[in-house]
Amino acid sequence: MMAAFLRKTLKITGYAVGAVVGAVALYMGTALVLERIPVAKADPGAPADVPVFIRTNGVHSDLVLPVRTDQFDWTQQLPYAHTQANDPSFDYVGIGWGDKGFYMDTPTWAELKPSTAIRAGFWLSTTAMHATFYRAADLAPSPACVPLHLSRAEYARLIAYIQASFQHDAAGNVRWIPGHSYGPDDAFYEAHGTYSILRTCNTWTNNALKVAGQKASLWTPFEAGIFYQYGQSGKPPEGTAE
């Protein structure tokens, strides 16, 4: 009796483990295929009016934008005073979207907790926006930092996409989350949308590139899929991940 029970238990356990391994393999395989399928730049002849960047710290990807242009001043919604440094000399701001717990608790993979990953992957938590200020010298082209140039029309669409991802209060201000940052030059804000294994921070960035008419992957949950389309790995030089 006991031997039969153990055999049945082991069989059920084996099926469960096999199902999990199979699901992970299917997910990874699908991602690998779809992230290699390119979405072409919508208008290759568009004027190069606005310099922007795609940047990753090896975990989260950001769109890095000029702090001020004649089209938009990001400090009107993301003031320097929301950061510890409160330094107005920064001339670029990186903006990303992601699961709130994953974002705020996982600046590097070393800090990732299983509970955070489970909540993030299966629609169990809320989302946040992350803004980080940079200087031009911080944005040298590299495998983890790709420069782009958008037309005014493309940049206007990108601004609208990013704006729609922030939660706003009744006065129209973004909802800052005080007391949380990775360092002196960044801040977090409440966001719209739900994070999952199908819509990650990198999916958000990839979709933003599509909205702005830039090269992108058909679909990707990983930063590598985005950077692949630009001939880069998306891996920061060793020792530089934030």
Side-chain angles (χ1 to χ4, degrees):
M1 182 75 73
M2 181 60 70
F5 174 77
L6 288 174
R7 284 196 299 271
K8 185 175 181 180
T9 301
L10 288 172
K11 182 182 289 188
I12 293 172
T13 301
Y15 286 148
V17 171
V20 171
V21 171
V24 171
L26 177 62
Y27 177 78
M28 298 297 290
T30 301
L32 183 61
V33 170
L34 295 183
E35 73 182 16
R36 294 298 193 267
I37 300 175
V39 174
K41 182 175 172 65
D43 182 3
D49 298 323
V50 185
V52 304
F53 299 82
I54 317 163
R55 191 177 187 277
T56 179
N57 64 0
V59 181
H60 308 290
S61 60
D62 286 343
L63 298 160
V64 185
L65 319 169
V67 166
R68 295 183 183 87
T69 67
D70 61 358
Q71 285 182 265
F72 198 76
D73 181 351
W74 286 102
T75 63
Q76 296 301 305
Q77 295 206 327
L78 311 174
Y80 295 113
H82 284 177
T83 68
Q84 297 175 40
N86 191 17
D87 184 346
S89 68
F90 288 102
D91 41 13
Y92 284 88
V93 60
I95 302 174
W97 172 96
D99 174 83
K100 185 188 288 186
F102 194 98
Y103 240 149
M104 297 170 71
D105 299 334
T106 314
T108 68
W109 287 116
E111 281 83 12
L112 179 60
K113 301 174 184 176
S115 58
T116 299
I118 291 170
R119 287 196 301 270
F122 295 98
W123 300 274
L124 297 176
S125 65
T126 55
T127 52
M129 303 296 289
H130 184 224
T132 307
F133 287 100
Y134 297 100
R135 295 184 177 86
D138 300 324
L139 300 171
S142 76
C145 185
V146 173
L148 304 175
H149 287 84
L150 276 58
S151 69
R152 290 174 62 87
E154 290 168 341
Y155 188 51
R157 296 199 300 272
L158 183 60
I159 292 169
Y161 174 87
I162 294 172
Q163 287 280 74
S165 296
F166 280 96
Q167 285 189 23
H168 296 79
D169 61 23
N173 301 309
V174 296
R175 296 180 59 199
W176 176 37
I177 306 172
H180 293 276
S181 67
Y182 290 164
D185 307 319
D186 68 304
F188 286 95
Y189 301 85
E190 300 288 356
H192 290 295
T194 303
Y195 187 102
S196 74
I197 59 174
L198 300 178
R199 188 176 185 234
T200 69
C201 60
N202 301 301
T203 309
W204 180 88
T205 302
N206 191 62
N207 289 343
L209 294 171
K210 293 179 186 178
V211 167
Q214 305 304 298
K215 288 193 299 183
S217 295
L218 183 61
W219 174 77
T220 181
F222 306 119
E223 73 275 6
I226 299 170
F227 285 85
Y228 173 83
Q229 300 301 331
Y230 293 89
Q232 299 294 345
S233 67
K235 294 182 179 179
E238 189 172 347
T240 63
E242 296 169 4

